[in-house]
Structure formats: structure tokens, C-alpha cells
Amino acid sequence: MSDDVRDRVRHGTDETAGSAGGAVGGPDETAAGAEQPTNRVRAAARSFGITPEDYMLPARHLIRIVGPDGRVCRSAGEDPEPGHDYPLPADEDLLAAYRRLVTGRRLNEQNSALVRQGRMAVYPSSYGQEACQVAASAHLEPQDWLFPTYRDAVAVISRGVPPEEAMTLFRGDWHSGYDPREYRVGIESTPLTTQLLHGVGLAHAARLRGEDTVVVALCGDGATSEGDFHEALNFAAVFHLPVVFFVQNNQYAISVPLERQTAAPSLAHKAVGYGMAGERVDGNDLVALLAVFERAVRLTREGSGPLLIEALTYRIEAHTNADDATRYRTDEEAEHWRTLDPVTRMRTYLSDRGLLTDDLQAEVQAAAEQAAAELREGMNAEQELDPQELFAHVFTVPTPQLVEQSAQLADELAREEA
Amino acid sequence: MMSTTAETTTPVTMATALNAALADALTADPGVLVFGEDVGILGGVFRVTDGLAERFGADRCFDTPLAESGIAGTAVGMAIGGLRPVIEMQFDAFAYPAFQQVVSHIAKMRNRTRGALAMSMVIRIPYAGGIGGVEHHSDSSEAYYAHTPGLKVVTPATVADAYLLLRAAIDSDDPVVFLEPKKLYFAKDQVDLAALRARYEAGAGATSTSDGSEGGGDPRAALEAGGATIARSGTDATLVAYGPSLPAVLAAAAAAEADGRSLEVIDARTIVPFDDAAVVASVRRTGRALVVSEESGFGSVAGEIAARIQERCFHSLRGPVLRVTGFDIPYPPPKLEQHFLPGVDRILDAVDDLQWED
């Protein structure tokens, strides 16, 4: 290696990274004919008649449409902050989301019961976060993708994955129970934040293939401290990819509270540092979440680049059944958040508006019970597991070493049978 | 190392052969993408991607932000999206930020999804020493990757193999960690790249192995089942090496011949899958075995190879299976590097210890 090459080893990288555009010849030379990402943000800001900073920074107030009492706390369209206007979603969308909300709550309860009965190894419950879970995929088209974490089983189910397949990971018979391509839902990811980069890469691939694909990538508040969070948001912004990053800020990363994760004014404020728009929404207000997601998915599909949504919510139950939440938070705090419950709030709101009759509520509840019963049945069925499958999915074709080891296991099992 | 038939051969560097392999793969498969740090306009710090961005456009070969986990993690998404990413980690010791993506996702995704998602990608990593690199520019990191189930680990020692194995790695539906010996980047062989391409694309890639050993011929087969080749035939002892260690081992074998010892040299080429059959066949013929690698010895690939030989060839062995590796120290500074790397004398000393007096 010559001296001049060695001298360039790191310096060259830094110079390149510091140059405008970063990619070869700048992104404006890509086949997509895209402008510079900063111009995309400027164009989006212009469309709202506001400055790029006002577009990228979250609205000064938490976006909320329906308050904890189930009443509209501001009429849609009344005095919104310019560019942060959230009209009421259509009635049928509200009702469809409410159905999934009630089912999600019922499945959370059912899963916790299955863990208590020893039918599942572990369950990280999203009890209290169901509005976020439902909203995440509410505006996704069939060709879009969702990249979830281990706490997003309800979001995965809301996207169309059968409950039993979504819970396979926690039953423990395999690491994942569904084909990600079939539902366009990534694997439920346990290594924190890594899935955001998968979503970014998927969006990039879709763009290169000329497909219209929006990605919603989920993570929690603790995950925003991981390096991959930075790398994912930065990549998405630099390549101005159609990704909506959705942070469910449920206040705790197992036991560690938000103030130990960040000193930022809010997690949504992190967006501006990447040149993307951030918004902060009441994560227990399904109506507001639907409105915020509708705008975000629409903007990113139209080419405004990625967006970051922070939803303020709360994990009512412990991190998992193996965790003891009383060691790090007070009952009073959890009780307070129970009064902000997303399901009760939505039911009150829809009933008060006359959209949810007693008959309809009974029907919604019955559908939720049906889903829970099917899940119970599936989880209670004895699984026939084939130990030889351990060797089946390591490589396309098993290596000679794996063939050897598979034969060893077969021999052990045959001798056990004898 | 290439057998020259009727082809017109010219001196070609390994970097040029790798560049040709990338260009030919980009041409052959529109799903192939090349990205990483400085792989675009600069052409890579070792010039392996020279001219690709210009020739194939910024959608096919592009620079990324300086973020190795980001490069590997987005490659996961691109593989899910049906593309075939070929990513570059600029240096062995700068690849570690990507380690979680490599171990937790790239290596396991096929397994976790019961075969639904293939991670068809190549992670190219310039590795090992011999270039007088300052700190963090000369790690031998093969054991980290080889120890991780689900990854294939490949390293070429010849210019022709650099071309053929990289083509096969890109075409493989499994994730391949492709370790490029830095010190061999600018080593030249007489190679006809056009003929190599024609042979590879016709479904064969016969290398120069004189013995026609199984797996050495077709690089695709080498990636499926292991593909060691006999780099030098001999009768008295088997020396197993790969990638950056091969030149020193061949030089040692040449020197030993003057002492009347006939040493067989095996180029493993694929660390995972390892070609047990070829190594075992050779050791059973020669009765002695020495494994040579640059890595620190404790917990090394060399230790694994030595153990495998001992398990399989015990009754053929006339002496202990020995290893020559780097010391168990952090990679030394450039001016002390020569004391760390296995050289001809150290290899010959170990050959002397193979118990010739029985």
C-alpha cells in the first residue's frame, strides 16, 4: 500500500462525508431524478407556507384531538399551528381502527393469561399502547412495509399477520412464525433499533426497483439512544427515503426512565438534526395518531423524505412477565396512566358522537373474543417440533459439517427411541 | 499459479481482478449493488471499486454516510427487498460497528424466518497485515466471522481465485464474508480475465489445481461444500494455509525442498464451509500436518483446523498437528510487524518439529 493511499485512509473518508450530497455526484444524479434532500424539506415547508425549521420541528404543543375524558379538546381545523394541521379522520376509519384497538387490548390480556398458564415462554405486553400499535399500519397500503420490535405483536396482528403466527416467537417453537414477505412485516426484532436500518434498506431497495413503497419502522424510547437509531435516521434523510420512524415513548426502557436516555426537549426534536420533520403526538389518542400518521405517510409517499413521529404513551404492565415494575416506578404513576387509557377514551368519544351503538360495541367485543379464542386454541395445541429442522435453515444447502451434525443428532434420537 | 494454456495472459493485480469481478457481477445481475464508504468517486481506498460508479451509475455503486452498522443494516433491508448488496467495510478493524447487524441479523435471518428470507449479500473486508498499516488497519478477524453460524467465510490467495470466488460469493444465496488479503491486493499473476469470466459464466471456473481435487474446480461448489486446492504437491507433510499466509508457506515449501523435504501446501480458500475432505485426504497421505495463519493463535481458525485434522487423522499422524500463528497480542506497530507475522523461518522451524525421527 503506497504512502499516499495510507494517508488518505481516513482523511479521504471525512472529506467525502463532509461534501454536499455525500453520494456519487450527489443524490440529484440518481435515476429517481431526486433533488437534494434539503430541497425536498424546503419544498414541503413551502407547501405549508412555513420555514423549513418550523416544518422540521415538532409543533409547540403535543398533538391531541380527543382528551382523556373522551371529548374533543379542539375542533379539527380550529387554530392549528401553521403546517401542523390535523383534520379529523373519516368516521369509517375511526371505527375500523377502534375494532383493531379492542381486539389488540383483548389479545394483550389473552397473551398475559397464556404466559401465566405456561403456554408461552415470555410476553412483552403493549397493554396501554394499543392506540400506537393500531395506528402504525392504519395508513399502509398492501405494498408497504412495517418493521416492528418485540413489543409490537399487536401492530403486527393489526397489519394482518394471524395472531398465532405473531406469537410463535414467544411460544418458543421458532424465532418467527410468519413469512415477512407474505405480510410485508419484518421479523419482530429483539436487538434494539437494528430493525430501523432494515426498514431504511428496504425503502432504498424499493426505490431502486421503481416501487411505490412506504416503510413504517417502529422503536421505543430506549432505542433512541442506540447508535443504529442515528445511523438509520441519517441514512434515510441523506437518501431521502420514504420511511416513517415511529417512536413509542412509553417512558421506560425496562427500568430506566426517559431522563436517563436523553436531555433533548423531546424525542421528536431529534428529527431536525437529520434534516427531517418530527412530530409529537398523544400516544393514547387514537384519533390524533390516525391523523398524524395519515399526514406522515402521505408526505413521505409524495417524496418529502422521512419523518419521525414520537407518541407519548405508557407501558401499563411490566417490561415482560419476568420483570417486577414495582422496583422502579410507583403504583400511583401507573394508576394515573390508567385514567388516560386509549381504549376507554376512544369508546367514550365514539359513543358520544353516536358512531358506536350498543349493538356495534357488542359486535366489536365479540370479534375480539373470537380472535382471543382462536389464539388460545392455537397456543394450546401441542406443537410437533422436528429437531432436524435445526439444521434446515442455516444455509441454502447444508454444509458437509451440518450434514454430519444432523446425522449425529438423528443417531442420538434413534437410540433414545430404542 | 495459473496454468497457462492457449490464453493470452497479462500481469493482473488482485485488486484489478476483484474490480473485474464486481463489474462483471453488476453487468450480469441488475440486482447487484455495491456500496460503502469511499467506494464511489474515489474507487475505494484500495481502488477495488475503481470506475464502477462512473460505469454503472450512482444507483448501482454509491457512497454512504460513514456508518458501518448503517451499511450492514441497510443491506439487510435491501436483501429483503430482493437486491444483492455487495458492501465494503473499509478495513477489518473498522468493521466492528457492524458486528451486531452481521451476527444478529445477516447470519441468522434465514434461520429465524425458517428459510423465508435469504440474506444474499457479500461483506467485503480488506484484512490482515503485511502493509505496514498503523493501528486498526491490520486485524485478522476471520475467527469472529467463522465462529458465527450462518456466515460463509472466504478468502482468496491468488488473483484468479479473487475473481472466481468473489463472483461465486455474489451469486450465492447465503451471506458471504469475503476477506481480501490487503498485502496481496497489488500482487500480480499472469491471468486472462476475459477467459476467466467466460469460464465462470459457462458454469465452471477451473483453477490451476494440478490434482483436480474435488471442489477446487467450480467456485460455486466451493461455497456450497468447501473448496480447498492443492497449491503445491508434496509427500512428507501437509501445510494448511489460506489468504495472506499462503505466499510465506509456499516460500517455506520451496526452501524445504532444498533440504530434501517434500511439503504439500493446501490453500483452504473457504474457511466456512471448510473442506475437511481435501485436508484429511492430504494428511492421510503425508502423515504430518502444520497449520499456518496470521491470526493470534488462541481461539483461532488455525486451532479449529488443527483440531479437525487430529480428530480425523489420528492414526495417520506421525507427529503432533502443529500451528504457526500470530502471537496473542494486539496487532503490533508497523516497525515490529515482521516479528508478529508467520515468516518462512518460523514456518520451517515448526516443520522441523513435526517429529521426523520416528
Side-chain angles (χ1 to χ4, degrees), chain A residues 5-6 8-10 13 16 31 174 176 181 191 194 198 201 209 228 231 389 393 395-397 401 404, chain B residues 38 45 47 59 67 69-70 74 77-78 80-81 90 100-101 105 111 114 131 137 174 224 274 276 308:
Chain A
V5 171
R6 198 155 49 234
R8 272 200 302 266
V9 158
R10 271 333 226 187
T13 323
T16 315
W174 206 264
S176 175
R181 281 206 187 94
T194 54
H198 307 166
R209 291 161 63 111
D228 276 7
E231 300 195 19
E389 199 182 353
H393 315 297
F395 293 115
T396 317
V397 178
Q401 287 77 13
E404 208 175 274
Chain B
D38 304 295
V45 294
R47 301 297 179 268
D59 279 354
S69 185
T74 55
M78 292 187 198
I80 295 172
Q90 196 160 76
Q100 181 177 30
Q101 290 288 351
H105 294 296
N111 182 262
R114 278 184 157 133
I131 59 159
H137 289 73
D174 297 315
E224 295 290 349
F274 188 71
D276 283 312
R308 300 182 84 83

Side-chain angles (χ1 to χ4, degrees), chain B residues 92 127-133 137-140 142 181-184 242-249 292-296 324-349:
Chain B
D92 36 43
Y127 91 119
I131 59 159
H137 289 73
S138 294
D139 271 17
S140 291
E142 60 265 43
K182 286 194 237 41
K183 73 168 170 220
L184 301 182
Y242 52 81
S245 305
L246 209 73
V249 173
V292 182
S293 74
E294 285 189 19
E295 351 145 69
S296 299
V324 176
T325 65
F327 301 122
D328 293 329
I329 57 170
Y331 203 87
K335 289 186 175 168
L336 293 169
E337 194 183 18
Q338 77 273 21
H339 303 293
F340 172 85
L341 295 171
V344 170
D345 288 342
R346 194 174 290 160
I347 293 166
L348 289 174
D349 286 346

Side-chain angles (χ1 to χ4, degrees), chain A residues 89 93-94 97 135 138-139 285-295:
Chain A
D93 292 343
L94 294 173
H139 293 286
D285 177 2
L286 182 53
V287 180
L289 280 159
L290 291 170
V292 167
F293 264 99
E294 189 283 324
R295 173 184 180 268

Side-chain angles (χ1 to χ4, degrees), chain A residues 67-290:
Chain A
D69 56 1
R71 293 171 193 282
V72 174
C73 49
R74 65 145 186 84
S75 302
E78 178 194 305
D79 194 29
E81 204 169 306
H84 298 266
D85 180 15
Y86 292 103
L88 258 183
D91 292 352
E92 64 266 27
D93 292 343
L94 294 173
L95 284 171
Y98 177 69
R99 282 177 186 276
R100 290 195 296 272
L101 183 75
V102 173
T103 297
R105 167 60 52 87
R106 185 65 193 87
L107 291 177
N108 266 328
E109 291 167 345
Q110 182 61 70
N111 283 327
S112 294
L114 285 163
V115 169
R116 286 194 297 275
Q117 295 154 11
R119 283 290 167 188
M120 260 189 326
V122 68
Y123 183 58
S125 176
S126 62
Y127 192 107
Q129 301 176 212
E130 291 92 343
C132 298
Q133 297 281 298
V134 166
S137 63
H139 293 286
L140 293 186
E141 299 294 332
Q143 76 274 15
D144 296 335
W145 273 79
L146 183 79
F147 280 84
T149 78
Y150 57 87
R151 199 181 300 284
D152 298 316
V154 170
V156 168
I157 293 162
S158 294
R159 174 74 173 144
V161 175
E164 190 187 343
E165 291 182 22
M167 302 314 301
T168 301
L169 162 67
F170 304 113
R171 183 167 58 194
D173 37 318
W174 206 264
H175 307 301
S176 175
Y178 53 92
D179 175 351
R181 281 206 187 94
E182 184 179 346
Y183 304 100
R184 301 220 155 203
V185 175
I187 192 168
E188 291 154 315
S189 183
T190 47
L192 280 190
T193 334
T194 54
Q195 71 283 352
L196 299 188
L197 281 163
H198 307 166
V200 172
L202 192 287
H204 200 157
R207 146 104 44 89
L208 292 172
R209 291 161 63 111
E211 295 161 1
D212 165 34
T213 300
V214 167
V215 170
V216 171
L218 279 55
C219 72
D221 45 295
T224 63
S225 300
E226 290 274 11
D228 276 7
F229 180 80
H230 161 72
E231 300 195 19
L233 270 66
N234 194 49
F235 264 68
V238 166
F239 292 105
H240 51 90
L241 296 166
V243 182
V244 177
F245 296 98
F246 183 38
V247 183
Q248 292 169 77
N249 175 2
N250 67 10
Q251 320 296 322
Y252 290 92
I254 304 188
S255 67
V256 179
L258 185 71
E259 61 264 24
R260 184 48 62 95
Q261 301 297 344
T262 184
S266 80
L267 298 174
H269 277 80
K270 290 177 181 269
V272 67
Y274 299 103
M276 71 171 72
E279 196 66 291
R280 200 161 187 244
V281 56
D282 181 342
N284 288 16
D285 177 2
L286 182 53
V287 180
L289 280 159
L290 291 170

